[in-house]
Each structure stands twice: as structure tokens, then as C-alpha cells.
Amino acid sequence: MEEKEKKSGTGFFYGVIGVATLVVAIIGATFAYFTATAEDTNTIQGEAANTGLSLEVTHLSTGAVGGLIPLNTTDLQKAVTGDTAATGDPKTCLDSNNNSICQIYSIKVINEGNSIAAVTGTLDLQAVPYQGVDEEEEQESSFANLKWQVLTDSTTVNPGATSYGIGENPIASNVTLNAEGDQTFYVVIWIDNLNEAQNSADYGHFNGSVAFNSADGSGISATFSA
């Protein structure tokens, strides 16, 4: 009888050990399941595009430093290339008597951002008051016949270009600039000749403001005067 009880006790003990082992195995398996993880921190990533514009305005007709005299619009191409010089040598914006008859500017707009930008540019010409010879009284200015237009390049008049006067008018609209790309525009300014006295219509000083803006609202501007 004692031996039977012994066997029964031994069987119970092994049974407990077996259950305990199973529990440990289940716990171990569960723990392993939850700790088997993987992580990818490189595939999905990015940043917001940054945008910015800069502007370089350069006076190209540096030989024409005097006040402008009226120019026949039909002679604009000659004025731009310098073919009006009596000697035949290039004298941009000078006539055969070395009078200043126009001004040429290059306007370089630069996309400093890392995304494509669509830009629109304007030129605002205004007559501005100035100090008279005695510098005691401010003088008024008037430019009824001041004109400007966009050139094809620095020495070529675009026959289809629109001529504008005083006020703000477009240089370019919705021009696409690649990331870190740029584009250069050229403009010529002159006083249109009416073949009559223009002393009371065109006199004094003017200045200009060039502005370029992108679709996101960022922009840049530059000014010049004469």
C-alpha cells in the first residue's frame, strides 16, 4: 500500500513538473513573439521645399551717361547696337554726336530654392522730384513720352514687344525657374521723339523699380534712377 502511494506521489510530482515546464515554454514563446521587432528609419522621409529669389540689375549702356535726348522709335535697333555712331564703331545708346539716347539694363532673377518656381516680374517707372541747380527748391519732373520695352537680348530689339510708359508694367509673367536656376531679361528705356519741342513734356529725373515675385509670395526688388 505504501509503495502504491509512493508511485502515486511520484506521478503527481512529475505531472507538476510537466505543467510548470509547459507554462515556462509558453511564457518564453510569448516573450519571444513580442520582442521580435524590426525598424526602418530611412525609407519614408522628406522635408518642406524652401524658396527664395534674388535679383541682379546691371546698367549695360555705361557709355551713355548724360541726360537722354528724344529718339525715333524706328531707330531703336540702331541705338541698341550702336550703329548710329558716325565712325561705325559700336557705341551703345549714343548717337553720332555722342548724345545719350537710351539706357539698357540686364535683369537677372535667380531661384535660390530647391524647387521649381513660377515667377512674374514688373518694372515701375516714375518721374521723381529733384533739387534744382541752386539746390534751394525742389523741382518737378515730367515724362509724357518716356518708353521702355523688353529686348530679345542685350543687342536685339524684339519687333513684337509692347512699349510701356510711366507706371508699373510687366517684364515677364509665369516664367518657370528650375531649382537654383536663373533667367536674364533685358530692357531698353528711351524718350520717344515727337519731332517737335518736348521741353515742357519730358524733363527732370525718373527712377525705376524692378520686382519679381513667385507663386508662394516670396519676392525681391531693385531700383535704379536717372
Side-chain angles (χ1 to χ4, degrees):
M1 184 70 176
E2 266 179 44
E3 189 175 343
K4 188 175 183 183
E5 285 179 0
K6 265 186 195 178
K7 287 183 180 179
S8 178
T10 302
F12 175 76
F13 173 75
Y14 284 119
V16 170
I17 294 297
V19 171
T21 302
L22 179 61
V23 169
V24 171
I26 292 173
I27 291 174
T30 303
F31 181 76
Y33 174 79
F34 278 110
T35 57
T37 61
E39 186 177 16
D40 180 349
T41 60
N42 297 315
T43 303
I44 301 175
Q45 56 183 307
E47 62 183 82
N50 63 68
T51 58
L53 298 176
S54 64
L55 197 60
E56 297 175 3
V57 179
T58 305
H59 184 200
L60 300 182
S61 52
T62 55
V65 295
L68 298 181
I69 66 170
L71 168 70
N72 292 325
T73 301
T74 53
D75 291 329
L76 189 58
Q77 180 60 63
K78 292 180 180 180
V80 168
T81 58
D83 290 343
T84 56
T87 60
D89 297 327
K91 291 186 176 181
T92 303
C93 285
L94 294 174
D95 69 3
S96 56
N97 295 314
N98 288 325
N99 293 313
S100 297
I101 51 179
C102 62
Q103 293 181 357
I104 298 174
Y105 293 87
S106 67
I107 301 167
K108 182 179 182 180
V109 58
I110 305 161
N111 178 13
E112 297 182 330
N114 60 6
S115 61
I116 293 175
V119 300
T120 296
T122 59
L123 170 58
D124 186 7
L125 280 184
Q126 296 293 335
V128 294
Y130 67 102
Q131 294 296 324
V133 177
D134 56 11
E135 296 188 357
E136 293 181 1
E137 185 177 347
E138 192 173 68
Q139 304 293 311
E140 292 297 321
S141 299
S142 174
F143 286 95
N145 301 289
L146 188 67
K147 303 292 183 182
W148 72 272
Q149 67 176 233
V150 179
L151 298 172
T152 301
D153 54 47
S154 62
T155 60
T156 308
V157 173
N158 179 359
T162 301
S163 296
Y164 300 102
I166 291 292
E168 184 177 20
N169 290 286
I171 296 174
S173 180
N174 292 322
V175 173
T176 299
L177 295 179
N178 291 327
E180 300 182 353
D182 61 74
Q183 186 161 338
T184 301
F185 303 90
Y186 301 90
V187 298
V188 57
I189 302 171
W190 76 101
I191 298 174
D192 191 22
N193 183 23
L194 302 181
N195 291 315
E196 61 185 46
Q198 296 178 226
N199 307 65
S200 60
D202 300 286
Y203 58 88
H205 293 253
F206 65 84
N207 66 17
S209 175
V210 177
F212 272 82
N213 292 279
S214 64
D216 70 349
S218 63
I220 192 73
S221 62
T223 60
F224 59 89
S225 61

